[in-house]
Amino acid sequence: MTVRVRRVYQSPEPQDGVRVLVDRLWPRGLSKEAAAVDEWPKALTPSTELRRWYHAGEGSYEEFARRYEAELAVPEVAELLDGVRESAAKGPITLLTAAKAPEQSHAAVLARLLQD
């Protein structure tokens, strides 16, 4: 199973496979054509409260990841995660985010969970 994490502002590549936007808000200044997004499961994104808490610098990335995993365990959200996992089992999948540091974002948590 190949799961990649990339910034949505990077040009699409053939090896991206299914491109999944994992941000709640559409990225600023980016057209839908340029983004080439195949799926946008908004419910998989961190809650507004968790996102604001993390961006305010109130906690560590490890604590953010733990809280986000708890949000992903809610049955309705877990079902969406399973759907993305099924897509990833069929071929490459790229999780797209506008985060400036994708390796320290919710997209990295999702990638890890999808590969487990």
Side-chain angles (χ1 to χ4, degrees):
M1 175 180 319
T2 303
V3 179
R4 299 174 55 183
V5 175
R6 299 184 68 217
R7 292 200 72 218
V8 69
Y9 298 106
Q10 294 173 297
S11 297
E13 296 179 352
Q15 62 269 29
D16 284 349
V18 177
R19 293 172 52 87
V20 181
L21 179 63
V22 293
D23 288 346
R24 188 169 299 268
L25 303 174
W26 188 262
R28 292 179 193 236
L30 189 64
S31 71
K32 294 193 188 291
E33 295 78 29
V37 169
D38 297 308
E39 297 178 23
W40 188 16
K42 295 178 192 176
L44 278 183
T45 62
S47 66
T48 300
E49 296 78 18
L50 180 58
R51 184 175 46 81
R52 287 182 180 160
W53 173 84
Y54 182 54
H55 291 298
E58 296 179 20
S60 67
Y61 175 72
E62 291 75 21
E63 178 64 16
F64 166 78
R66 187 187 66 70
R67 291 182 182 194
Y68 181 42
E69 286 181 37
E71 289 185 355
L72 291 170
V74 173
E76 299 82 23
V77 180
E79 190 173 311
L80 277 175
L81 184 60
D82 287 341
V84 174
R85 189 176 284 118
E86 288 173 15
S87 292
K90 295 175 186 173
I93 191 166
T94 299
L95 304 178
L96 303 168
T97 181
K100 292 181 181 174
E103 66 281 352
Q104 292 287 308
S105 74
H106 65 288
V109 175
L110 278 174
R112 181 175 45 78
L113 290 175
L114 290 170
Q115 292 174 333
D116 285 348

